[in-house]
Amino acid sequence: ELIIVDDGSTDQTSSLVQQYISDKRIKYLTQSNSGPSAARNNGVKASNGKYIMPLDSDDKIASSYLELGVKYMELHNECTIFYGNSLYFGCKNGQFGIKYQGYKSLLVYNCIPCTCIYRRSDFERVGGYDVNQRGLEDWDFLIRLLFHNDIVYWCETVLFYYRQDNTRKSITDEVRERTRDIMTKIYLKNIDKYIEYWGTPHENLDRSVKLQLAIDSYNNAVNSTSYRLGHILLTPVRIVRKWFQLFN
């Protein structure tokens, strides 16, 4: 089934959808502009499927994505998320290189595209997408959906195509301008998980201060007169050593 959620669009979406709405597998929902989280939640609520795969309106998937993903999930009940290799298209080409490296890394940056396949039961377990999370909604959802050693399967076949468009600012670029506030909200919402994997804020501050002190100490040593003098004095020795190694 295909659930199309029109989140207050001002283009020709409605007239385009009417050409296909006679297909009973297609449902068309409209709502005032409420953001991606509300759109995804309403789409899932209107669906009947065991599996869910969100797809933003400006991106594309390979024709085999659903078949490969559902078959894999059916054979591997232990798998929580299935997603495929990705490519850019539009004004930028090449690999859209994000790959899941474990839950600890996921807490630092999102490494799973929003167009992945997961079970409806898991969606319901975490309460869906947070409608109060405006920006990085998919990352927030994945942090809550996954935990510890949950299995995420990456298929090396290219199945997802992520559009890059020069004519407008992408959602990702807009989010970057307010990333700090958004990430702070995600951190506070999931603080128990962050503490378990990365330690308390005080522990991280302590490590950061110690690292900065070590860097400052190194820089001071490198820039000292004695270090520069020693470097000059040892230069002839290095040259002789290289010549010796060359002829022996």
Side-chain angles (χ1 to χ4, degrees):
E1 60 183 352
L2 173 63
I3 315 296
I4 302 170
V5 184
D6 187 337
D7 186 34
S9 65
T10 57
D11 56 17
Q12 303 303 312
T13 297
S14 180
S15 58
L16 178 63
V17 171
Q18 295 308 315
Q19 303 175 43
Y20 305 96
I21 203 66
S22 59
D23 188 329
K24 299 303 180 182
R25 297 172 300 175
I26 299 176
K27 296 179 183 177
Y28 180 51
L29 311 179
T30 60
Q31 61 182 43
S32 59
N33 183 247
S34 305
S37 291
R40 300 208 200 294
N41 288 345
N42 289 334
V44 173
K45 290 175 183 177
S47 69
N48 299 300
K50 178 180 178 181
Y51 298 101
I52 306 296
M53 187 183 74
L55 177 64
D56 289 337
S57 60
D58 54 350
D59 298 327
K60 302 188 299 184
I61 60 171
S63 59
S64 59
Y65 198 153
L66 293 173
E67 180 182 6
L68 290 174
V70 171
K71 280 185 176 179
Y72 187 88
M73 297 286 278
E74 284 287 284
L75 292 172
H76 300 85
N77 289 326
E78 74 281 3
C79 181
T80 305
I81 289 178
F82 173 100
Y83 74 104
N85 202 352
S86 311
L87 291 178
Y88 288 109
F89 76 102
C91 68
K92 180 179 180 180
N93 297 313
Q95 189 165 6
F96 179 43
I98 56 175
K99 190 174 180 181
Y100 186 66
Q101 302 292 333
Y103 191 75
K104 186 174 183 178
S105 295
L106 180 68
L107 291 172
V108 180
Y109 60 93
N110 188 14
C111 42
I112 302 174
C114 66
T115 304
C116 59
I117 297 176
Y118 53 83
R119 289 181 176 82
R120 181 192 198 89
S121 57
D122 285 328
F123 171 91
E124 294 172 345
R125 171 175 55 83
V126 300
Y129 296 83
D130 184 353
V131 295
N132 297 313
Q133 184 72 43
R134 300 303 290 263
L136 303 180
E137 302 91 348
D138 298 299
W139 184 33
D140 171 70
F141 173 72
L142 292 169
I143 288 176
R144 291 184 290 111
L145 185 74
L146 297 168
F147 199 35
H148 289 309
N149 297 317
D150 286 349
I151 294 176
V152 175
Y153 181 75
W154 176 79
C155 177
E156 64 180 353
T157 303
V158 175
L159 299 174
F160 175 60
Y161 300 87
Y162 182 66
R163 184 188 299 273
Q164 290 288 284
D165 189 350
N166 270 337
T167 62
R168 63 177 176 81
K169 229 180 183 185
S170 70
I171 293 175
T172 302
D173 289 336
E174 291 176 359
V175 165
R176 276 197 199 100
E177 297 178 357
R178 50 196 177 91
T179 294
R180 180 176 296 178
D181 291 341
I182 295 171
M183 293 183 70
T184 299
K185 183 177 180 180
I186 291 175
Y187 172 79
L188 293 175
K189 186 191 302 182
N190 301 282
I191 191 167
D192 290 343
K193 294 180 178 180
Y194 279 94
I195 289 175
E196 179 176 346
Y197 278 88
W198 291 101
T200 65
H202 180 268
E203 289 170 338
N204 282 286
L205 178 61
D206 182 59
R207 284 193 291 266
S208 179
V209 169
K210 288 178 179 177
L211 177 61
Q212 188 59 55
L213 289 174
I215 292 172
D216 291 343
S217 177
Y218 172 80
N219 289 333
N220 291 334
V222 169
N223 294 322
S224 67
T225 302
S226 58
Y227 179 89
R228 291 197 297 270
L229 179 60
H231 183 76
I232 294 172
L233 293 174
L234 287 174
T235 298
V237 176
R238 295 193 186 95
I239 295 174
V240 171
R241 181 182 296 169
K242 287 182 179 179
W243 278 94
F244 181 80
Q245 292 172 344
L246 180 64
F247 291 104
N248 288 274

